[in-house]
Amino acid sequence: RTYPLLFLSLHSRDSLLLRSVPFSNMYHNVCLLSSLLATSPLISWLQSDPECYVHPGIAIKKSNLGDGFGCFVDEPVREGDMLFSIPTTSCLSITDALLDDECGEKFAEIIERAGDGGRTVVIAGYLAKEYLKLEHLGRDKYQGSNSPYLQTLPFQLGKNEQDHVIWWSERDIEELLKGSLAYKDTVGLRAEVDLAVRVLSPIIGPPVKKSRQGFLPFGGTTEGVDDAIRGAFVTLLTRSFLSDSEDVGQESLVPLLDMLQHTSGTPNVRHERTSESIEVRARTDLDSGVELLNSYSYSLEPWTFFTRYGFVPDKGSPRELLKSKDIVFFDPSKEPKVAEV
């Protein structure tokens, strides 16, 4: 059987993400603290790579555009100055998944049967497996090289204030989204992800269970595998970048670049990708304290932007917009449709 996955990669951002939704104050503070602790080691980890460059003025702080985090400059920067350069070896891509000792061969079979759409599925499986192993083993015992980055990714609702329809309950989908312009797209997306979970769970479950057994020949569980796969899809939808270069490949996750918040206006950074690195430079002169902003997409309709990234640009909480039947989601002059594959 071939798997129809995935139109997800079509909308990988040529930019970035993180976003906010309202939660109770206590839950909000816990999530914010957890995110801060996770992002703190990220820059140090990147700077430990001699092939990587991070401008000394770069800092990760609470964003001015939401309740999540963003990237700032703490000193003036001139137009064209290099802000950071991330080597492709520090990014996560299909190459990492296919070279994986535990699941690489089975991942390759998915791509062989599903075609290019299977690449997104494979990356999601690899991410979920590594996240669960890191979560169980801790950074000291985890043998992967990307642990500081994996800990920043939104595998759970509320991490970096991330919300997404993949995590919504069936009740929320029916009560809030039914009849909206985003409903068909959401239902289709969730069905695709559910299929991917059924494909990936028996592949990544055994190595996750084995890592939890330790040296014992028994024990261990696969608890949390399905949820981690869904979290991996949220990560890819909201954070992955699609390369324009045929030599470089398809989507990948770029540390630090994916911390930048979205602007509907003109971004104050520009990024360029080569086969060896992703370079991010100032598009204009930047004063100290300025938040770095990128653009995820200029072409998506607001409701499709929401189903991909979890928010609507320049609007408030999507849940509140849906509850109030805002024209963003309930415009009678427009026809709801599923994004083209």
Side-chain angles (χ1 to χ4, degrees), residues 30-300:
V30 170
C31 290
L32 202 60
L33 177 59
S34 174
S35 299
L36 179 60
L37 293 175
T39 56
S40 294
L42 179 63
I43 292 180
S44 297
W45 169 68
L46 289 170
Q47 290 174 329
S48 69
D49 185 343
E51 301 299 320
C52 178
Y53 170 77
V54 179
H55 190 284
I58 293 291
I60 297 173
K61 304 178 184 179
K62 184 180 180 301
S63 174
N64 295 322
L65 299 181
D67 294 329
F69 286 88
C71 206
F72 294 76
V73 287
D74 278 349
E75 59 184 66
V77 174
R78 300 294 299 275
E79 178 182 351
D81 282 357
M82 179 82 74
L83 296 169
F84 49 90
S85 176
I86 310 298
T88 54
T89 51
S90 294
C91 302
L92 290 174
S93 69
I94 188 65
T95 301
D96 298 283
L98 294 178
L99 293 178
D100 181 61
D101 292 336
E102 296 172 315
C103 301
E105 291 185 3
K106 292 183 179 180
F107 286 156
E109 291 176 5
I110 291 177
I111 295 176
E112 183 178 353
R113 299 172 70 178
D116 287 344
R119 291 173 175 261
T120 302
V121 178
V122 164
I123 299 174
Y126 174 75
L127 280 175
K129 176 176 73 73
E130 293 304 301
Y131 165 74
L132 289 172
K133 290 173 62 178
L134 171 61
E135 183 183 50
H136 175 71
L137 297 171
R139 287 182 58 186
D140 292 339
K141 294 183 180 179
Y142 175 71
Q143 296 182 350
S145 60
N146 298 86
S147 59
Y149 179 51
L150 285 173
Q151 290 181 312
T152 70
L153 300 177
F155 282 93
Q156 299 172 336
L157 176 66
K159 181 71 175 291
N160 285 335
E161 299 301 309
Q162 180 68 60
D163 191 13
H164 203 281
V165 291
I166 287 176
W167 286 321
W168 285 23
S169 67
E170 289 294 338
R171 180 177 178 178
D172 283 343
I173 297 298
E174 293 303 308
E175 291 186 355
L176 296 178
L177 278 171
K178 193 166 186 177
S180 75
L181 293 165
Y183 181 73
K184 288 185 178 180
D185 199 18
T186 296
V187 171
L189 172 61
R190 285 163 60 92
E192 295 267 9
V193 173
D194 285 345
L195 173 59
V197 169
R198 295 196 295 272
V199 172
L200 291 170
S201 188
I203 294 176
I204 71 169
V208 169
K209 181 178 180 180
K210 183 177 180 181
S211 72
R212 291 170 173 173
Q213 290 175 191
F215 293 105
L216 298 175
F218 56 85
T221 71
T222 58
E223 182 181 357
V225 167
D226 290 2
D227 288 341
I229 294 171
R230 288 188 172 87
F233 274 106
V234 171
T235 290
L236 289 171
L237 277 167
T238 60
R239 287 175 170 252
S240 65
F241 290 79
L242 193 61
S243 170
D244 292 330
S245 170
E246 295 181 359
D247 296 329
V248 177
Q250 295 194 12
E251 65 224 294
S252 62
L253 293 167
V254 185
L256 199 57
L257 179 56
D258 66 1
M259 294 291 294
L260 274 61
Q261 291 280 2
H262 168 77
T263 176
S264 297
T266 301
N268 56 15
V269 303
R270 55 183 172 84
H271 60 87
E272 189 174 295
R273 184 166 190 161
T274 70
S275 60
E276 297 180 351
S277 65
I278 297 88
E279 297 181 353
V280 179
R281 296 179 181 272
R283 189 183 290 267
T284 185
D285 291 347
L286 303 175
D287 295 330
S288 177
V290 167
E291 182 170 5
L292 303 180
L293 301 175
N294 208 339
S295 174
Y296 302 1
S297 172
Y298 291 108
S299 60
L300 297 180

